[in-house]
Amino acid sequence: MNGLYHTSEYIEFTKEYLDALQSTIATYGLPWTAGETPFYGGYLRTELGFLGIRSAVDERRLKHLQSSLNSRQYETNIKSFYSAVPARVDWRKHALQNNHDEHNWVTPVKFQGVCASCVAFAVIATMEASVRIHAQTPYDADPTAFPLLSEGQLFFDGAEKACWLGWHRSEALRYTNQIGIIPSDLYPYEAYNQSFPFDRNNLPNLTVVKQWHRINSIVCMKEWLGTRGPVYAELSCFGDFLLYREGVYSHVLRDDFDEDSIPHAVCVIGYDDEKKVVRVYENGTIKTYSGAWLCKNSFGPQWGEDGYCWIGYSECGINSDMWGIERFEMINGVSG
């Protein structure tokens, strides 16, 4: 499908694209701003799934992988939810239930580069924060207590050199469950296809997830985020999202930006029920509602709000389902 600033294969982030996007945002009073990001001045090849989730899926294979995961549906008591979960959560300044001191449990934002590895980055971001919460050791209190984990291992060993193809969530979650992840300083990430030089049967300092949980309702997602920690999520990414600078994002559904979406993965670290969201439909109809997810992205700290973004509830399919970590088998080589 073609729009004013792109073809079926490319989205070009030119000055004209940015000017038109900023004008549309201002015209409709959207509560977010666009600007120059690491993507500005470049282009996106939409047919390659650059951001990182494979769109062509063998359903039977995925069904088998799904059943092999040590996971279950997470359920909650809706009546107790409203009294137990606050109106806003941000794990960069959050207090555990048994401690009133607020801390940052989230590790630094990273950059996936020109490689379709977002699944690995979102999974690792979820694991790193969950390790801290499990051990009750916030990142701001002791950044070196636990190592950062290797996106390079997860992606290049698990997905087998798929920089131009992306990866499936089910395979990534299974890898963390069956193989585990070594520290990133043992195998640093580089944004090009690499060979993994380690023996899978003799990996050092492993962090292994014991159990992932699928969460598929907003109520349960907020309950999990409010009490347990960040989660893995996926969304449909459009060109305007790549030029996001701040505010609460919603896709501009206008002819000039009528682009094909690309699947993308992020780590959701919080939410705010009072954030204003404005949705503009193709016919120009405007609807306003409240509530947004706070996401840690993998576009580096020069994108968005220091690498983070707010995206409205239900925007771009972000809350179709999310995945959280219940417990670990092993953390940095020590039984969890």
Side-chain angles (χ1 to χ4, degrees), residues 124 127-128 147-154 175 179-188 196-199 202-208 332:
I124 293 297
M127 288 180 64
E128 289 176 345
L148 300 179
L149 300 175
S150 177
E151 294 89 359
Q153 176 204 351
L154 178 57
Y175 188 101
I179 306 297
I181 307 297
I182 63 175
S184 62
D185 59 359
L186 297 180
Y187 188 66
F196 186 63
F198 293 86
D199 177 3
N202 191 30
L203 294 174
N205 303 102
L206 279 174
T207 296
V208 182
N332 198 28

Side-chain angles (χ1 to χ4, degrees), residues 171-226:
E171 292 177 339
L173 301 190
R174 185 180 68 165
Y175 188 101
T176 67
N177 180 257
Q178 296 185 355
I179 306 297
I181 307 297
I182 63 175
S184 62
D185 59 359
L186 297 180
Y187 188 66
Y189 174 86
E190 298 287 346
Y192 59 86
N193 285 327
Q194 307 171 59
S195 297
F196 186 63
F198 293 86
D199 177 3
R200 279 190 180 184
N201 297 316
N202 191 30
L203 294 174
N205 303 102
L206 279 174
T207 296
V208 182
V209 176
K210 176 68 174 179
Q211 188 159 7
W212 288 90
H213 289 289
R214 178 173 178 258
I215 316 161
N216 66 353
S217 76
I218 292 181
V219 167
C220 295
M221 292 166 185
K222 291 166 66 177
E223 195 276 342
W224 189 287
L225 281 162

Side-chain angles (χ1 to χ4, degrees), residues 22-332:
Q22 290 174 330
S23 176
T24 301
I25 289 172
T27 297
Y28 291 98
L30 304 184
W32 67 278
T33 62
E36 296 184 13
T37 71
F39 296 96
Y40 179 72
Y43 64 89
L44 181 64
R45 296 189 66 182
T46 58
E47 83 281 10
L48 293 178
F50 158 76
L51 298 178
I53 300 175
R54 290 183 189 170
S55 56
V57 178
D58 182 330
E59 294 296 337
R60 288 176 298 177
R61 183 163 178 253
L62 267 188
K63 185 176 181 180
H64 170 73
L65 290 174
Q66 193 74 23
S67 64
S68 70
L69 283 171
N70 187 8
S71 62
R72 63 174 172 80
Q73 180 71 29
Y74 181 72
E75 298 178 352
T76 189
N77 185 324
I78 295 179
K79 291 182 179 179
S80 66
F81 162 77
Y82 292 102
S83 61
V85 178
R88 63 187 59 84
V89 168
D90 182 347
W91 280 93
R92 297 172 300 179
K93 46 183 178 180
H94 189 79
L96 296 183
Q97 291 178 321
N98 59 350
N99 191 324
H100 296 295
D101 295 331
E102 292 185 343
H103 286 284
N104 174 29
W105 306 85
V106 182
T107 53
V109 169
K110 304 174 187 178
F111 184 40
Q112 70 182 77
V114 186
C115 181
S117 53
C118 67
V119 169
F121 276 81
V123 168
I124 293 297
T126 305
M127 288 180 64
E128 289 176 345
S130 298
V131 163
R132 295 278 175 171
I133 296 165
H134 176 85
Q136 299 190 24
T137 306
Y139 184 80
D140 59 5
D142 188 353
T144 62
F146 298 96
L148 300 179
L149 300 175
S150 177
E151 294 89 359
Q153 176 204 351
L154 178 57
F155 187 66
F156 295 115
D157 186 45
E160 299 179 354
K161 301 181 180 180
C163 254
W164 295 110
L165 296 174
W167 203 17
H168 301 306
R169 173 197 62 222
S170 294
E171 292 177 339
L173 301 190
R174 185 180 68 165
Y175 188 101
T176 67
N177 180 257
Q178 296 185 355
I179 306 297
I181 307 297
I182 63 175
S184 62
D185 59 359
L186 297 180
Y187 188 66
Y189 174 86
E190 298 287 346
Y192 59 86
N193 285 327
Q194 307 171 59
S195 297
F196 186 63
F198 293 86
D199 177 3
R200 279 190 180 184
N201 297 316
N202 191 30
L203 294 174
N205 303 102
L206 279 174
T207 296
V208 182
V209 176
K210 176 68 174 179
Q211 188 159 7
W212 288 90
H213 289 289
R214 178 173 178 258
I215 316 161
N216 66 353
S217 76
I218 292 181
V219 167
C220 295
M221 292 166 185
K222 291 166 66 177
E223 195 276 342
W224 189 287
L225 281 162
T227 59
R228 294 172 179 257
V231 293
Y232 171 97
E234 297 176 354
L235 64 141
S236 296
C237 179
F238 297 86
D240 57 358
F241 182 69
L242 301 186
L243 299 185
Y244 166 91
R245 291 301 303 168
E246 63 180 355
V248 182
Y249 172 81
S250 60
H251 174 50
V252 178
L253 289 173
R254 301 294 295 154
D255 290 342
D256 291 352
F257 305 97
D258 188 12
E259 306 152 344
D260 293 328
S261 65
I262 301 172
H264 183 51
V266 295
C267 175
V268 180
I269 67 163
Y271 64 86
D272 189 332
D273 286 340
E274 297 181 2
K275 288 285 186 180
K276 177 184 176 183
V277 187
V278 177
R279 180 182 295 173
V280 181
Y281 294 88
E282 293 177 354
N283 61 3
T285 301
I286 300 175
K287 291 188 178 180
T288 301
Y289 67 95
S290 297
W293 304 112
L294 174 59
C295 303
K296 178 185 179 182
N297 207 349
S298 52
F299 293 165
Q302 302 305 313
W303 178 89
E305 298 183 3
D306 299 320
Y308 296 86
C309 70
W310 291 95
I311 180 169
Y313 294 158
S314 302
E315 293 297 320
C316 302
I318 189 171
N319 44 262
S320 57
D321 63 11
M322 297 183 184
W323 293 78
I325 296 173
E326 171 66 28
R327 59 184 183 272
F328 290 90
E329 181 80 24
M330 184 178 296
I331 296 176
N332 198 28

